[in-house]
Amino acid sequence: MLTALLFCGAFTAVAKDRISKQTAECLECHSSTTTGIVKQWEKSAHWSSGVGCYECHKAEKTDADAMDHYGFTVAIIVSPRDCGQCHAKETAEQEASHHAKAGDILNTKDGILGQTVGGEPAVAVACRQCHGSIVKVNADGTLDTGTWPNTGIGRVNPDGSKGTCSACHTRHRFSKEQARQPETCGKCHLGPDHPQKEVYEESKHGILYRAFKDDMNMDKSKWVSGEDYFDAATCATCHMSATRNQGVTHDVGTRLSWDLRAPVSKRTANSPEKLKAMKDVCSSCHAGPFVDGFYKQLDEFVEFYNNKFAIPAREIRALLIKEGVLTKANFDDKIDWIYWELWHHEGRRARHGAAMSGPDYAWWHGIYEVAKHFYTELLPEAKEACEKAGKPEVYKQIIAKYIDGRKEHEWYTKGFDKKRIQEMKKYYQERYQQKVD
Amino acid sequence: MLTALLFCGAFTAVAKDRISKQTAECLECHSSTTTGIVKQWEKSAHWSSGVGCYECHKAEKTDADAMDHYGFTVAIIVSPRDCGQCHAKETAEQEASHHAKAGDILNTKDGILGQTVGGEPAVAVACRQCHGSIVKVNADGTLDTGTWPNTGIGRVNPDGSKGTCSACHTRHRFSKEQARQPETCGKCHLGPDHPQKEVYEESKHGILYRAFKDDMNMDKSKWVSGEDYFDAATCATCHMSATRNQGVTHDVGTRLSWDLRAPVSKRTANSPEKLKAMKDVCSSCHAGPFVDGFYKQLDEFVEFYNNKFAIPAREIRALLIKEGVLTKANFDDKIDWIYWELWHHEGRRARHGAAMSGPDYAWWHGIYEVAKHFYTELLPEAKEACEKAGKPEVYKQIIAKYIDGRKEHEWYTKGFDKKRIQEMKKYYQERYQQKVD
Amino acid sequence: MLTALLFCGAFTAVAKDRISKQTAECLECHSSTTTGIVKQWEKSAHWSSGVGCYECHKAEKTDADAMDHYGFTVAIIVSPRDCGQCHAKETAEQEASHHAKAGDILNTKDGILGQTVGGEPAVAVACRQCHGSIVKVNADGTLDTGTWPNTGIGRVNPDGSKGTCSACHTRHRFSKEQARQPETCGKCHLGPDHPQKEVYEESKHGILYRAFKDDMNMDKSKWVSGEDYFDAATCATCHMSATRNQGVTHDVGTRLSWDLRAPVSKRTANSPEKLKAMKDVCSSCHAGPFVDGFYKQLDEFVEFYNNKFAIPAREIRALLIKEGVLTKANFDDKIDWIYWELWHHEGRRARHGAAMSGPDYAWWHGIYEVAKHFYTELLPEAKEACEKAGKPEVYKQIIAKYIDGRKEHEWYTKGFDKKRIQEMKKYYQERYQQKVD
């Protein structure tokens, strides 16, 4: 114990030696004004490496967001470019990733839904908190509060760099363990339109993570699946972390062989290579036939979603627009909303549920909703719209092309198979003594 | 420490002696090809008992799914029959349970909704991942990927046995602690149609589990409530595990005195005995008046759900079919869908919320939705359907029989009590300085 | 180790000395009848202070709920007045809080929705389990099971006191750590109408809590943010617990400067003082510009919600009632339900999401739903209701006053900006090779 204390004291002293004079000055005030962040930092690898306040926050006078702070030239925002001074590989990977571009979708061309149907203040506290803002610097060097505080993963920084490392590596502890936790990804990857967090929690991977997290060496620098941990896969395991055959990457899309985001799913660019990288992760714990069988089921499911619902729904809406039944404008017809949620919410839930082994999301939150709304909203609404427009023949054309004669929609026009209904009723009677109507 | 190392080394040696020659051969490859599962197994009780790869996966040449694997005759699937060679009591209980029959509902007679409104590939990745598939063996002895990978709890195995132990006891660590965790049950018992996991998390039981899990000796072989742990009840505690007065059981229905699954709830067979078994669990921590009071509230709630909503809704739909207002076919009328979700989704949420002490599920996700859809969808839709069918008298008959003169529906025809509305407005004004419309 | 055992033995002996003769008699039976609660109590600070069964449950013969129990006069319910004998400050704060009044809303004047659209048995298992019941004592001194078991936070006790300490400090361990956990608050603060638990879990605070809970000294008596813990804020941190500048309080509303509960939000009484108290909490970890920027974004968001949606929606409904298009009665017109959920469910989700940094709740569960229902349900339904009532001019008046000429609703009448749509399509083509309709 005495040894431990001595060692501890010695280590602190060494670390203190390493702390720059400037950082020591920062700490003079900040140890009492914002104690929390100082104490977080004292637990970080930065602390033991002597990387302190000044090393990260120092700025050049010419920097857009430079400000004088008690004689020091500093900036509030530490951008990936700043982090990249030490973490060059990670920053480069991050810059090449979809994550770094997440702000574009809101700030440059899209975000129309949020900004018009919603409004600017909603975009600030909602969309941009995940996607990232374009941080504006006021004339006096302070940050514009419409665009900051913001740690969205695609933030466009005053230095022009894109992204923010602290979106995942939360300041000021910058813990590897925390960054690897599924909850970290769940900051943004959740909810009605991409419930990856919820799907993960339902999956065996999530169940095992909850059970065995403490055995998983989450804080190790070297964190190779099947070697340093083996009880569960986290988001990081599959999408970023090392296996015995491949290194860690901060470009999160490199193992994704399907685009499950789009209205109609298609393979990503270089998908065979990406699929191979992902299967390599799976094989830390799963044998070949399991992995191949899993992907066969997934592929067939995605094709099924595309062909039974997504493509017909898209084409039906396009036809209604072409024939003048609907306007070309977005979100001004009921069908615009139905179609939008069908693919953007329900169809994604279905596909993510299937891809990440969350059966409840694949079915009840997914295909069940897709199917229900396809049959009970999209088609009836199309019919009504055609009738109102005085063009009932357009609806007949739709039914002829997309429904009649297609085996998978037979129940809709001819009803459920009567023999199976009888069997089902008998089954309920026998098992549950329940009369089913 | 030296002693510890010596002991550890000795123990390993003993265990190695126990490992069969066949398993040792398996490990020669699998230690490097699928390291994860080998390391999981090394943490299992199987490892220390010398039960290895070969002991579980060995097969007879005549087995349907036997395959030659580098000179060994093995099968991928380890069925309850295989597990039962050592765990006979547990397997027998499991075989007698509803769990073992979960596949029937999909595979033999029901699953019509999933297979027709949805489709086969959705059933494979969704329904069957909880309920279980009928595993098909290809001519070459490999497993058909439409039916496997699958660990659904009612899986029908190539050897004819039903169920899969690893649905809960996840391979290859087979941890008691993990199997007892509520998250394990939450793989399937969640979502819009049976949110037991969500209800549990809201309940005091779930809150206390989260707070005190580390004190609960979750990994002990003997795990008696009130004796080995006492801070919280888990799913297993109430439905499976031992008390001071009864043993553990793998037949999960033996303590359920209400069927809260069906459209209209009724008592289960031998419900007094089952209720007694459950109350015995409660009494590990709750005194008699508490337990009796709890069940009185639950019973009154279930009767209320049955009588105010479930029975009238069922009878109204039946009458509409009988009178030719609706077709007999399923899911082709709006009311089919309304009625279906009313009992299968909302009504279950209400009942499960009440039964497991999750007030938010009993009300907002439950009765609030039931009531809202009964009054604002089922009745108006019935009215419209009767009018469209030229039979407005059928709706009058419905109102006369189910609504008029029934105290509990008085507000619907006569409006809220005016005096109470005035009092309520005054209350909001006084407490919140808020004008309520 | 020997010393530890000796000390332990000694301590037990001392504690046993402290246990009253009466409590010792209680334990004679209850150690074997309700072992769980006795063991919980043995882990409590009450045990080590010699506060046992009798000290809390003893009653005067004249108490409304006094009962004779094997020669002792005791009561089942331990009310805040009982707890206040030792914990006077906490009880006084609690009595002054909104928490203590939570039962009023159901029991005295409101709760109309629950009691009429729902029904008494639903109120018992649902509403009152959070809000609290008025506990009734039967003629024989037992508690009326319609009103008990109940640990709702605003329970009206037989002694006239309001509240129940065990709503949060769960009996019989009464753990500080457990009471401080966000899950404890999540017993009631969750769900469609006030998803504080879900928002917290999405937020950085919740993510960090999950990562670092074990480092947070949750069981310390003195628990000052930035001093005794600094990794994350919990519900308690912001709303109740001590900072270096202010003490702990059991009056949970003292730091809330906005009323985000009402249909239209306004500042609370003495809001500057309350805001100052909350910003003091923030500043344990966040510097001034961050905190000010956060509140600027929140304030703008709340004003935006009020002005774009909440006030117009309220006034439109009021106008429809005034003009005789809708009845004055509640919940008998579609618009009653639309307006109710717009503010009570969706609008609260939006505001809570913004206030607690859960972007998904602010947008997808919040403003997206508010906006969607404002444009696609409230307005069309108002139009239809006016037409049905033969008063189309009322709808024209609504559009003229609330929609036309208002920049924020321009898209609704004129469509999305065509140039931006073109840019958006180009963007999707370039980034995703995706054609957007």
Side-chain angles (χ1 to χ4, degrees):
Chain A
M1 181 126 166
L2 186 67
T3 327
L5 283 174
L6 282 174
F7 176 73
C8 216
F11 192 68
T12 309
V14 170
K16 272 209 173 154
D17 280 352
R18 287 192 203 149
I19 288 171
S20 67
K21 271 192 298 188
Q22 295 92 333
T23 289
E25 273 199 57
C26 303
L27 291 173
E28 272 177 36
C29 287
H30 280 281
S31 293
S32 57
T33 54
T34 54
T35 48
I37 54 178
V38 172
K39 291 193 178 192
Q40 290 162 10
W41 165 75
E42 286 174 354
K43 291 211 166 191
S44 73
H46 281 170
W47 179 85
S48 42
S49 310
V51 176
C53 320
Y54 186 72
E55 285 63 39
C56 298
H57 284 281
K58 75 182 168 201
E60 298 297 322
K61 284 212 165 102
T62 50
D63 290 352
D65 58 341
M67 63 180 197
D68 178 77
H69 186 63
Y70 300 99
F72 292 106
T73 303
V74 298
I76 288 177
I77 287 181
V78 177
S79 80
R81 194 165 299 165
D82 298 320
C83 302
Q85 292 178 316
C86 295
H87 305 281
K89 176 181 175 290
E90 291 78 7
T91 307
E93 289 164 355
Q94 179 272 138
E95 271 177 6
S97 76
H98 270 262
H99 268 166
K101 300 183 198 87
D104 294 350
I105 203 168
L106 292 178
N107 294 315
T108 59
K109 305 190 192 88
D110 206 340
I112 302 178
L113 185 73
Q115 275 159 3
T116 52
V117 178
E120 182 58 29
V123 174
V125 302
C127 318
R128 283 190 198 130
Q129 295 298 326
C130 283
H131 283 271
S133 62
I134 303 180
V135 180
K136 284 182 197 149
V137 183
N138 296 321
D140 65 357
T142 59
L143 302 174
D144 168 64
T145 52
T147 63
W148 186 88
N150 185 288
T151 51
I153 203 155
R155 190 178 67 191
V156 181
N157 301 297
D159 65 7
S161 67
K162 288 182 177 180
T164 163
C165 303
S166 68
C168 307
H169 299 269
T170 313
R171 60 185 186 270
H172 284 95
R173 189 158 166 171
F174 308 106
S175 151
K176 272 189 287 288
E177 177 166 3
Q178 178 258 307
R180 283 170 183 153
Q181 294 201 158
E183 287 85 0
T184 298
C185 313
K187 162 88 190 297
C188 299
H189 291 274
L190 86 170
D193 61 329
H194 40 40
Q196 287 102 338
K197 182 194 167 193
E198 294 91 333
V199 172
Y200 177 77
E201 285 183 354
E202 186 195 356
S203 77
K204 273 285 183 193
H205 289 157
I207 293 165
L208 294 170
Y209 170 73
R210 221 20 121 65
F212 300 122
K213 189 196 161 192
D214 291 347
D215 294 352
M216 283 173 65
N217 292 311
M218 302 278 290
D219 58 345
K220 278 186 77 167
S221 284
K222 172 176 163 298
W223 197 61
V224 175
S225 71
E227 205 166 286
D228 299 297
Y229 67 103
F230 43 80
D231 277 308
T234 68
C235 312
T237 301
C238 300
H239 299 288
M240 304 179 75
S241 300
T243 72
R244 288 164 301 148
N245 306 308
Q246 59 184 316
V248 64
T249 177
H250 279 67
D251 184 351
V252 288
T254 55
R255 299 171 190 167
L256 293 173
S257 55
W258 270 114
D259 174 1
L260 302 177
R261 188 202 56 74
V264 173
S265 278
K266 54 187 179 181
R267 297 286 182 182
T268 53
N270 304 319
S271 69
E273 192 183 312
K274 290 170 177 169
L275 180 59
K276 201 182 148 201
M278 185 64 93
K279 283 187 168 185
D280 168 55
V281 182
C282 307
S283 67
S284 297
C285 294
H286 298 286
F290 186 99
V291 178
D292 291 340
F294 171 83
Y295 270 104
K296 186 124 186 293
Q297 291 184 14
L298 174 62
D299 295 350
E300 286 174 2
F301 177 80
V302 175
E303 299 291 359
F304 153 80
Y305 160 78
N306 278 351
N307 295 326
K308 181 164 182 184
F309 298 114
I311 295 171
R314 184 168 72 177
E315 292 185 5
I316 289 168
R317 180 164 170 268
L319 185 70
L320 292 169
I321 291 170
K322 193 184 141 206
E323 298 291 345
V325 173
L326 302 182
T327 67
K328 275 193 186 180
N330 293 77
F331 295 109
D332 66 338
D333 296 296
K334 268 193 183 178
I335 288 181
D336 294 340
W337 289 91
I338 296 166
Y339 173 66
W340 159 255
E341 293 202 350
L342 192 136
W343 73 264
H344 186 269
H345 287 45
E346 302 148 12
R348 280 193 192 161
R349 293 195 299 249
R351 289 173 281 168
H352 293 147
M356 291 166 58
S357 299
D360 200 65
Y361 283 84
W363 178 249
W364 288 117
H365 296 273
I367 288 299
Y368 173 78
E369 294 283 326
V370 169
K372 179 177 139 188
H373 294 141
F374 183 87
Y375 291 122
T376 73
E377 296 195 351
L378 188 78
L379 292 179
E381 194 58 41
K383 189 174 182 226
E384 199 180 320
C386 289
E387 284 164 4
K388 272 195 185 162
K391 300 178 180 179
E393 74 282 3
V394 175
Y395 186 68
K396 277 182 192 154
Q397 195 184 332
I398 286 169
I399 290 296
K401 183 162 179 192
Y402 295 103
I403 308 298
D404 281 345
R406 288 181 69 157
K407 187 79 187 153
E408 70 265 40
H409 296 304
E410 206 169 57
W411 80 273
Y412 185 68
T413 42
K414 302 190 183 170
F416 283 179
D417 182 301
K418 282 187 182 52
K419 199 173 145 236
R420 291 195 65 202
I421 294 279
Q422 284 315 313
E423 287 175 340
M424 183 265 285
K425 289 188 178 186
K426 201 176 143 210
Y427 168 76
Y428 271 100
Q429 189 58 46
E430 285 170 5
R431 176 156 172 199
Y432 297 112
Q433 294 78 51
Q434 181 188 324
K435 209 174 149 251
V436 169
D437 316 299
Chain B
M1 181 123 169
L2 186 66
T3 326
L5 283 173
L6 282 173
F7 176 74
C8 216
F11 192 69
T12 308
V14 170
K16 272 208 170 153
D17 280 351
R18 288 193 203 149
I19 288 171
S20 66
K21 271 190 299 187
Q22 295 92 334
T23 290
E25 272 199 58
C26 302
L27 292 172
E28 271 177 36
C29 288
H30 280 282
S31 293
S32 57
T33 54
T34 53
T35 48
I37 55 178
V38 172
K39 292 193 178 193
Q40 289 162 10
W41 166 74
E42 286 174 353
K43 292 211 165 190
S44 73
H46 281 171
W47 179 85
S48 41
S49 311
V51 176
C53 321
Y54 185 71
E55 285 63 40
C56 298
H57 285 281
K58 74 180 168 205
E60 298 297 322
K61 283 212 165 102
T62 50
D63 290 352
D65 57 340
M67 62 181 198
D68 178 77
H69 186 64
Y70 299 100
F72 293 106
T73 304
V74 298
I76 287 177
I77 287 182
V78 178
S79 81
R81 194 166 297 166
D82 299 318
C83 302
Q85 293 178 315
C86 296
H87 305 281
K89 177 181 175 289
E90 290 76 8
T91 306
E93 289 164 354
Q94 179 275 136
E95 271 178 4
S97 76
H98 271 262
H99 269 165
K101 301 183 198 88
D104 293 351
I105 203 168
L106 292 177
N107 294 315
T108 59
K109 306 191 191 88
D110 205 340
I112 302 178
L113 185 73
Q115 275 159 4
T116 52
V117 179
E120 182 58 28
V123 174
V125 302
C127 317
R128 284 191 196 129
Q129 295 298 326
C130 284
H131 283 270
S133 61
I134 302 181
V135 180
K136 284 183 196 146
V137 183
N138 297 319
D140 64 357
T142 59
L143 302 174
D144 168 63
T145 53
T147 63
W148 186 87
N150 184 288
T151 51
I153 203 155
R155 190 178 68 192
V156 181
N157 301 298
D159 64 8
S161 66
K162 288 183 178 183
T164 165
C165 304
S166 68
C168 307
H169 299 269
T170 313
R171 60 183 186 274
H172 283 93
R173 189 159 167 171
F174 308 106
S175 152
K176 273 189 286 289
E177 177 166 2
Q178 179 259 307
R180 284 170 181 153
Q181 293 202 157
E183 287 85 1
T184 297
C185 313
K187 163 86 190 297
C188 299
H189 291 272
L190 86 170
D193 61 330
H194 40 41
Q196 287 102 337
K197 182 194 166 194
E198 295 91 333
V199 172
Y200 177 77
E201 285 184 354
E202 187 196 355
S203 77
K204 274 283 184 195
H205 290 157
I207 294 165
L208 293 170
Y209 170 73
R210 221 21 123 62
F212 299 122
K213 189 197 160 191
D214 291 347
D215 294 352
M216 282 173 65
N217 292 310
M218 301 278 289
D219 59 345
K220 279 186 77 167
S221 285
K222 173 176 163 297
W223 197 60
V224 175
S225 72
E227 206 166 285
D228 300 298
Y229 67 104
F230 42 80
D231 278 309
T234 68
C235 313
T237 301
C238 299
H239 299 288
M240 303 181 74
S241 300
T243 71
R244 288 165 299 146
N245 306 308
Q246 60 184 317
V248 65
T249 177
H250 279 68
D251 184 350
V252 288
T254 55
R255 299 171 190 167
L256 293 174
S257 54
W258 270 114
D259 175 1
L260 302 178
R261 187 203 55 74
V264 173
S265 279
K266 54 186 180 182
R267 297 286 182 182
T268 53
N270 304 319
S271 70
E273 193 182 311
K274 289 170 177 168
L275 180 59
K276 201 182 147 200
M278 185 63 93
K279 282 188 169 184
D280 168 55
V281 182
C282 306
S283 66
S284 297
C285 294
H286 297 286
F290 186 99
V291 178
D292 291 340
F294 171 82
Y295 269 104
K296 185 121 186 298
Q297 290 183 16
L298 174 62
D299 294 350
E300 286 173 3
F301 178 79
V302 176
E303 299 290 359
F304 154 81
Y305 160 77
N306 278 352
N307 295 325
K308 181 163 183 183
F309 298 113
I311 295 172
R314 185 168 70 176
E315 293 185 4
I316 288 168
R317 179 164 171 269
L319 185 71
L320 292 169
I321 291 172
K322 193 185 139 207
E323 297 291 344
V325 173
L326 302 183
T327 67
K328 275 193 186 180
N330 293 77
F331 295 109
D332 66 337
D333 296 295
K334 267 193 185 180
I335 287 182
D336 295 340
W337 288 91
I338 296 166
Y339 173 66
W340 159 255
E341 294 202 350
L342 191 136
W343 74 264
H344 186 270
H345 286 46
E346 302 148 12
R348 280 194 191 161
R349 293 195 298 250
R351 289 173 282 169
H352 293 148
M356 291 167 57
S357 299
D360 200 64
Y361 283 84
W363 177 247
W364 288 117
H365 296 274
I367 289 298
Y368 172 78
E369 295 284 325
V370 170
K372 178 177 139 188
H373 295 141
F374 183 88
Y375 291 122
T376 73
E377 296 195 352
L378 187 78
L379 292 179
E381 194 57 41
K383 188 173 183 228
E384 200 180 316
C386 290
E387 282 164 4
K388 273 195 185 163
K391 300 178 181 180
E393 73 283 1
V394 176
Y395 186 68
K396 277 182 191 154
Q397 196 184 331
I398 286 169
I399 291 295
K401 182 162 179 193
Y402 295 103
I403 307 298
D404 281 344
R406 288 182 68 157
K407 187 78 188 156
E408 71 265 39
H409 296 306
E410 204 168 57
W411 80 272
Y412 185 67
T413 43
K414 301 190 182 169
F416 284 178
D417 182 300
K418 282 187 181 53
K419 197 171 145 235
R420 291 195 66 201
I421 294 279
Q422 285 314 313
E423 286 176 341
M424 182 266 285
K425 288 188 178 186
K426 202 176 143 208
Y427 167 76
Y428 271 101
Q429 190 58 46
E430 284 170 3
R431 176 154 172 199
Y432 296 112
Q433 295 79 51
Q434 181 188 324
K435 207 171 151 257
V436 169
D437 317 299
Chain C
M1 181 125 167
L2 185 67
T3 326
L5 282 174
L6 283 174
F7 176 74
C8 216
F11 192 68
T12 309
V14 170
K16 272 210 173 153
D17 281 351
R18 287 192 202 151
I19 288 172
S20 66
K21 273 191 297 188
Q22 295 93 332
T23 289
E25 273 199 59
C26 303
L27 292 173
E28 272 177 37
C29 288
H30 279 281
S31 292
S32 58
T33 54
T34 54
T35 47
I37 55 178
V38 171
K39 293 194 178 192
Q40 290 162 9
W41 165 75
E42 286 174 353
K43 291 211 165 189
S44 73
H46 281 171
W47 179 85
S48 40
S49 310
V51 176
C53 320
Y54 186 71
E55 285 63 40
C56 298
H57 284 282
K58 74 180 169 203
E60 299 296 323
K61 284 211 164 105
T62 50
D63 289 353
D65 58 341
M67 63 180 197
D68 178 76
H69 187 62
Y70 300 101
F72 292 106
T73 303
V74 298
I76 287 177
I77 286 181
V78 177
S79 80
R81 194 166 298 164
D82 298 319
C83 302
Q85 293 177 315
C86 296
H87 305 282
K89 177 180 174 291
E90 290 77 7
T91 306
E93 288 164 356
Q94 180 273 137
E95 272 177 4
S97 76
H98 270 261
H99 268 165
K101 300 185 198 87
D104 294 350
I105 203 169
L106 292 178
N107 293 315
T108 59
K109 305 191 191 89
D110 205 340
I112 302 179
L113 185 73
Q115 276 159 3
T116 52
V117 178
E120 182 58 28
V123 174
V125 302
C127 318
R128 284 191 196 128
Q129 295 298 327
C130 283
H131 283 271
S133 61
I134 303 182
V135 180
K136 284 183 195 147
V137 183
N138 297 321
D140 65 356
T142 59
L143 301 175
D144 169 64
T145 52
T147 63
W148 185 88
N150 184 289
T151 50
I153 203 155
R155 191 179 67 192
V156 181
N157 301 297
D159 65 7
S161 66
K162 288 183 177 180
T164 165
C165 303
S166 68
C168 307
H169 300 270
T170 312
R171 59 185 188 273
H172 283 94
R173 188 160 167 170
F174 308 106
S175 151
K176 274 189 284 289
E177 179 166 1
Q178 179 260 307
R180 283 169 182 153
Q181 293 201 156
E183 286 85 1
T184 298
C185 312
K187 163 86 190 298
C188 298
H189 291 272
L190 86 171
D193 61 328
H194 42 39
Q196 286 103 338
K197 182 193 167 195
E198 294 91 332
V199 172
Y200 177 76
E201 285 183 355
E202 187 195 356
S203 76
K204 274 284 183 193
H205 290 156
I207 293 164
L208 294 170
Y209 170 74
R210 222 20 124 64
F212 299 122
K213 189 196 161 193
D214 291 347
D215 294 351
M216 283 173 64
N217 292 310
M218 301 278 290
D219 58 346
K220 279 187 76 168
S221 285
K222 173 175 163 296
W223 197 61
V224 175
S225 72
E227 206 167 284
D228 299 298
Y229 68 104
F230 42 82
D231 277 309
T234 68
C235 312
T237 301
C238 299
H239 298 288
M240 304 180 73
S241 300
T243 71
R244 289 165 299 147
N245 306 309
Q246 59 184 318
V248 64
T249 177
H250 280 67
D251 184 351
V252 289
T254 55
R255 298 171 191 167
L256 294 173
S257 54
W258 270 114
D259 174 1
L260 302 178
R261 189 203 55 75
V264 173
S265 280
K266 53 186 180 182
R267 296 287 182 181
T268 53
N270 305 320
S271 70
E273 194 182 310
K274 290 170 175 167
L275 179 59
K276 201 181 147 201
M278 185 64 93
K279 283 188 168 183
D280 168 56
V281 182
C282 307
S283 66
S284 297
C285 294
H286 297 286
F290 186 99
V291 178
D292 291 340
F294 171 83
Y295 269 103
K296 184 119 190 295
Q297 290 184 15
L298 174 62
D299 295 349
E300 286 173 2
F301 178 79
V302 175
E303 299 290 359
F304 153 80
Y305 160 77
N306 277 351
N307 295 325
K308 181 164 182 183
F309 298 113
I311 295 172
R314 185 168 71 178
E315 292 185 4
I316 288 169
R317 180 165 169 268
L319 186 70
L320 292 169
I321 291 172
K322 193 185 141 207
E323 297 291 344
V325 172
L326 302 183
T327 67
K328 273 192 187 182
N330 294 76
F331 295 109
D332 66 338
D333 296 295
K334 267 193 184 179
I335 288 181
D336 294 340
W337 288 91
I338 297 165
Y339 173 66
W340 159 255
E341 294 203 350
L342 191 136
W343 73 263
H344 186 269
H345 287 44
E346 302 148 11
R348 281 194 192 161
R349 294 195 298 250
R351 289 173 282 169
H352 293 147
M356 291 166 58
S357 299
D360 200 64
Y361 283 84
W363 177 248
W364 288 116
H365 296 274
I367 288 298
Y368 173 77
E369 294 284 326
V370 169
K372 179 177 138 187
H373 294 143
F374 183 88
Y375 291 122
T376 73
E377 296 195 353
L378 188 78
L379 291 179
E381 195 57 42
K383 188 172 182 229
E384 200 179 318
C386 289
E387 282 164 4
K388 274 195 185 163
K391 300 178 182 181
E393 73 282 2
V394 175
Y395 186 67
K396 277 183 192 153
Q397 195 184 333
I398 286 168
I399 291 296
K401 183 161 178 194
Y402 295 103
I403 307 299
D404 281 345
R406 288 181 68 157
K407 187 78 187 156
E408 71 265 39
H409 296 305
E410 204 169 56
W411 80 272
Y412 186 68
T413 42
K414 302 190 183 169
F416 284 178
D417 182 301
K418 281 186 183 54
K419 198 172 146 235
R420 291 195 65 201
I421 293 279
Q422 285 315 313
E423 286 175 341
M424 183 265 285
K425 289 189 177 184
K426 201 176 144 211
Y427 168 76
Y428 271 99
Q429 191 56 47
E430 284 170 4
R431 177 154 171 201
Y432 297 112
Q433 295 77 53
Q434 182 188 325
K435 210 177 148 251
V436 170
D437 318 299

